[in-house]
Every structure is written in C-alpha cells, then in structure tokens.
Amino acid sequence: MRGPHRLPPKLLINGIIMSQEFDLVVIGAGPGGYVAAIKAAQLGMKVACVEKRGALGGTCLNVGCIPSKSLLYSSQLYEEASKNFAKHGIKIKDLSLDLATMQNHKNEVVTSLTKGIEGLFARNKVTYIRGRGKISNRGEVTVLADKGNSEIIKTKNIIVATGSDIMTLPGVEVDGKKIINSDQAIHLDTVPKKLVVIGAGVIGLELGSVWRRLGSEVIVVEYLNKVLPPMDNEISTQFQKIMEKQGIKFKLASKVTKAEVKGKEVELNIEPASGGNAEKLKADVVLVAIGRKPYTENLGLQEVGVELDERGRIKTDHHFRTNIEGIYAIGDVIAGPMLAHKAEEDGVAAAEIIAGQAGHVDYNLVPSVVYTHPEVASIGKTEEQLKAAGIEYNKGKFPFLANSRAKAVSDTDGFVKILADKKTDEILGIHIIGPQAGTIIAEASVAMAYRASSEDIARICHSHPDFNEAVKEAALATYFKAIHI
C-alpha cells in the first residue's frame, strides 16, 4: 500500500516552509475531519488534513469509541463465560482473565484502523500533514511540526474539526494512576478492587461496565437525579434497575467536592447536590467522566475574529460557515450532539457545501447509543420533550421478554418504545433498551427520515425470529394493538 500523499515544500524563508496552495485545509483528523477531507477530495478539491496526534482517527478511534467497544466486547465475553455459558451446556474449567492479552487485542484494533485511514487518504490523494495547526490569517494555516519546524499552508477554505477534550472537575486532580480520566481508563493494567466513577453518562457507564465485568466493585456518583441524563426518563429508570441488578451501585443527586490520594486509596468527599452533610467514600481508582468540552483553544480563532458562543463552541450558520469568510467548523466544536457519527455527517455536508452542492444534517435524526449490555439506543423526541412542547402523542411499548429471539438467547431485559403524533401517526421518537439496540435503531432512523407512521412500520414484514420484531410489535401497540402480548 502506498503511504499517504506527502506535501512537498515549495520555498523556505527564514526557517518557515511556504507550501503549495490548497482548495481546503482540514484541521483535525477525527471522524469529522478525515471524512470531510476524503469527501472534499472525492468532489475534486485539492485537500490537506492537519493532525497533531501522530495517528489519524481522533479521540474516537484512538482513545474513545473504538478501544472502549473492544473492551466492552471482550469483557462481555468474559462475563458470559464465567456466568452464563453453563446454562447453555458449555462448561469451562479454570477460567482466568489475561488482561494484558485483552489490552493488546484492543491496541491492535486501534492500530489497524488508524493505518486504514492513512490508506484512504492515499487512495483519495488527501495530503496528510503531521503537526499542530493554527489559523494564522484568512486563507492561511500555520503548522508547527513535532521537530519545531513551521509550515505555512495557503488555502481557499478551512474546516475546523478539532473535536473535544475531557472536562475536569474542581477539587479532583487527575494524576493518571489513582485518579484517572476516560483516556487512561482504557489502559489500566490491573483490575481495580473498587472503582468510583464520577458521572453517570455514556462514557462513565460504558467504562464502569467494562471493569465491573472484569471484577471491580463499581459505584457511580452522579450530580443529577437520573442516569443517562439526556435520555427518555422511562429508559433511564429501567436502565438503572438493570445496571443495579448487574452489580453497579449508584449515588444520584450527589456531588464530589474533593478527592485525595492517601496511600494506596483515594478518599472522596461526597455531598448531596442540593446541599447537606458530606460523607467519605474510599476507592482504589477514581474515574472522572463528567463530559467533554469543545477543543477550540490555541487555534488562532480569536486572533482572526471567529466568534464563539457562551459554551466555547464555534458559532456557525446552517451551512457550517463561521462569521469569517472561508472558515467552516464541524463536529464537537459546534452546537449539536457530541457524537462521532454526527461529526461524520457534518463533514460530508460541509464538503458538499464548499463544493457548491447541497448539504444538510437533521440533528433530530441523530441516533444516540450506549454500548453496555443491554444496549440503549434513542432517536427523535423523548416523552418529556413532547410534553414540554405541548405535542399530543400515542405511545406503544413491547418488552423483549415477549420476543421469541430474545427468549431463545436468554437476553430478555428491556423494551422498545415508540412515540407517534396523535393526529397524524408520524413517528416522533423511538427509544430502545435491549439486545443489539444500537443496530436495531437504524430501522428507526430510516423510518423517521422518510417521516413514516407507526402503522407503516407495523405493516412491514419483519424476519422471524429476530430482535427487530419488537419494533414491529411496539409500532402495532402505538397505532392499534400488539399481537404477541
């Protein structure tokens, strides 16, 4: 395989390389950035992509989505072997955990995929530039390479796709050993005896599930009074019950005001979120997973006049344009859900717009998935959002306990819930907790993109026996009556 297309220097002035001009320079090679670069090249543009990490794929591929899913799958296999194989007639003697091998497998997956993106860049003639990119002027990006050399790139357009960074918590200083963040939680070389996770969002619950399955006692502390705060309340409540059944403990409506390493333990001060007496909690390891913030610092944005909002995100219009001509922004640095697949869609749409085509992303139709077991998936409006907007709706539910495929594989936790407009029957939201929810939600995405009604889904023939039949039954329950319950 050929290496990625390299940038030949054009002129060296006072130690600064003056490079050839491009139609587009993308700063950041995460899911949004690398997809935008490839799409723009496919549309006939001369494209460069600047990335400081030294490996393509951004947070998602290197320390986020991909390595965590590898560990989630491996840890689930371990738990199945230790707890559930016997009832299927599979007996294993002397089962043991080889964490080093599990971690090596995860690392191999990441390396393979980052190299794969380099191959995609080469095939699409995208120039890959290693270094820290900064907008130094309109139509100009300066790249500071690892060795200290500076490179100035002239370009007609710039896309900022620098993603997001981990949020920190006052009073809780990450040391990378006893108090860790999500980047470090995927690299632990021993299983903590007791793990406290600060934050009951997607990242905290996924990583908490990994280490719980491998033997940790896990306690999750959450400031709000529910887990998975953005999710539909019914889904959140049921999910918490399932996680508690699996062994994860929760302290909701609580805040961590301080965490100190004392010998081999970490001591935390925890108070009620509404105020009250503090309590002490000890752990071997503390994982801070309170969310992410847009990465917009040291990019030259303020110097060239790019406007940011009150949360530090780059302000853009519906065409991803900033207030400065020729500068665009996508993904986690702009408003909208901080999800890799949303960033990819942003990248495609922005490239199309720069090429003079139509590009658009409907943020109401971006699915959200939690890859625990069972999985949680959601798209569209929650019941709480519909009630707040005064929209009348019908609701249909169907439990996986009544689904024949779920019964056959002993995976019956959860349900499918469909919300449809009371007058038109148009589907407004679908929420799933259950086996393969992240895959099943794709059916909901397609249906809602074409503004389908619950009756439309109910009248479509679904394969049997399969988990997706729960969607059909929930649709039947929404507009009329389910058959199998």
Side-chain angles (χ1 to χ4, degrees):
M1 180 183 294
R2 292 187 298 126
H5 188 61
R6 300 295 178 186
L7 180 65
K10 188 176 182 181
L11 184 63
L12 184 66
I13 301 177
N14 296 327
I16 298 176
I17 300 172
M18 307 298 292
S19 301
Q20 59 183 314
E21 293 190 11
F22 290 87
D23 297 311
L24 172 66
V25 170
V26 181
I27 303 176
Y34 86 75
V35 168
I38 291 171
K39 184 65 177 181
Q42 290 174 343
L43 292 171
M45 286 182 251
K46 186 178 181 182
V47 183
C49 186
V50 181
E51 172 55 52
K52 69 173 185 175
R53 188 182 293 270
L56 299 174
T59 294
C60 174
L61 201 159
N62 288 277
V63 292
C65 318
I66 302 304
S68 65
K69 301 312 164 285
S70 176
L71 289 177
L72 279 161
Y73 181 69
S74 295
S75 63
Q76 182 62 27
L77 289 178
Y78 177 73
E79 180 160 76
E80 288 293 316
S82 61
K83 294 182 179 180
N84 299 323
F85 275 8
K87 66 183 177 184
H88 294 280
I90 304 169
K91 297 182 179 180
I92 300 175
K93 290 184 179 180
D94 302 322
L95 179 70
S96 63
L97 172 66
D98 184 346
L99 183 57
T101 298
M102 188 179 289
Q103 290 285 22
N104 285 338
H105 173 262
K106 173 209 68 184
N107 296 336
E108 289 170 2
V109 169
V110 170
T111 300
S112 173
L113 289 172
T114 57
K115 294 297 182 183
I117 299 174
E118 287 193 19
L120 291 174
F121 272 12
R123 284 195 290 276
N124 288 281
K125 297 182 179 179
V126 173
T127 299
Y128 169 26
I129 306 173
R130 289 181 172 87
R132 183 182 296 273
K134 183 176 182 179
I135 302 172
S136 44
N137 211 331
R138 290 191 185 187
E140 187 177 282
V141 174
T142 298
V143 180
L144 180 63
D146 292 338
K147 295 181 180 179
N149 295 327
S150 291
E151 193 168 351
I152 293 179
I153 306 167
K154 297 291 186 180
T155 180
K156 296 175 184 175
N157 300 284
I158 299 167
I159 292 180
V160 180
T162 46
S164 57
D165 201 0
I166 294 168
M167 290 181 66
T168 57
L169 183 63
V172 182
E173 185 175 347
V174 171
D175 63 10
K177 296 179 181 179
K178 304 297 286 184
I179 304 176
I180 61 176
N181 58 36
S182 57
D183 288 3
Q184 295 147 356
I186 62 170
H187 295 304
L188 293 177
D189 56 9
T190 58
V191 178
K193 183 177 179 181
K194 187 173 183 179
L195 172 69
V196 170
V197 179
I198 305 175
V202 176
I203 296 171
L205 292 175
E206 287 188 348
L207 292 174
S209 290
V210 167
W211 296 108
R212 197 278 307 161
R213 293 168 186 169
L214 298 180
S216 294
E217 177 189 348
V218 177
I219 300 175
V220 179
V221 182
E222 169 57 45
Y223 182 82
L224 299 176
N225 63 356
K226 61 179 285 191
V227 306
L228 300 177
M231 289 281 186
D232 183 276
N233 281 348
E234 197 170 6
I235 290 285
S236 173
T237 300
Q238 181 67 16
F239 182 72
Q240 182 182 339
K241 290 178 181 178
I242 294 171
M243 291 295 102
E244 287 174 336
K245 187 171 67 174
Q246 292 179 2
I248 293 180
K249 300 174 184 177
F250 292 92
K251 284 184 173 293
L252 303 182
S254 302
K255 60 182 178 181
V256 177
T257 58
K258 191 176 182 180
E260 283 185 291
V261 177
K262 293 186 175 182
K264 294 182 179 181
E265 292 183 319
V266 182
E267 186 176 274
L268 300 95
N269 284 4
I270 300 176
E271 299 177 6
S274 57
N277 296 328
E279 64 172 307
K280 301 285 188 183
L281 187 64
K282 292 183 178 181
D284 297 288
V285 174
V286 173
L287 166 59
V288 182
I290 60 170
R292 301 184 65 85
K293 60 183 179 179
Y295 187 94
T296 55
E297 297 177 356
N298 301 316
L299 297 176
L301 299 172
Q302 292 178 318
E303 289 84 344
V304 296
V306 173
E307 293 182 358
L308 305 180
D309 67 14
E310 69 284 352
R311 294 174 59 181
R313 300 174 300 193
I314 299 172
K315 288 185 177 180
T316 61
D317 62 14
H318 294 302
H319 291 94
F320 307 98
R321 296 176 298 204
T322 69
N323 61 304
I324 303 299
E325 185 179 356
I327 300 178
Y328 299 76
I330 62 171
D332 287 2
V333 296
I334 68 172
M338 286 184 167
L339 296 168
H341 44 284
K342 176 265 192 184
E344 289 187 12
E345 297 305 314
D346 283 357
V348 170
E352 290 172 336
I353 289 166
I354 293 170
Q357 299 182 3
H360 174 69
V361 181
D362 185 345
Y363 292 150
N364 188 51
L365 297 181
V366 176
S368 178
V369 182
V370 187
Y371 293 94
T372 48
H373 188 88
E375 294 180 353
V376 180
S378 178
I379 189 168
K381 302 298 184 184
T382 65
E383 275 201 77
E384 293 69 44
Q385 289 171 328
L386 294 177
K387 289 175 182 176
I391 298 172
E392 293 186 329
Y393 61 93
N394 291 324
K395 176 172 74 173
K397 286 176 59 180
F398 189 81
F400 280 101
L401 187 62
N403 175 267
S404 56
R405 176 71 180 278
K407 278 277 193 181
V409 301
S410 304
D411 202 352
T412 56
D413 281 333
F415 57 86
V416 176
K417 170 175 163 179
I418 295 179
L419 307 171
D421 187 280
K422 195 164 190 174
K423 294 179 181 178
T424 66
D425 194 35
E426 180 182 347
I427 297 171
L428 303 175
I430 298 185
H431 309 277
I432 307 171
I433 178 169
Q436 298 184 20
T439 301
I440 296 172
I441 202 69
E443 175 181 1
S445 301
V446 173
M448 290 181 65
Y450 285 92
R451 304 191 66 174
S453 66
S454 66
E455 185 177 356
D456 287 332
I457 290 183
R459 293 190 179 278
I460 293 173
C461 184
H462 285 63
S463 57
H464 175 79
D466 218 333
F467 298 122
N468 284 67
E469 287 181 288
V471 179
K472 176 185 175 75
E473 292 281 354
L476 278 165
T478 304
Y479 95 94
F480 185 54
K481 292 181 180 180
I483 298 293
H484 291 95
I485 192 171

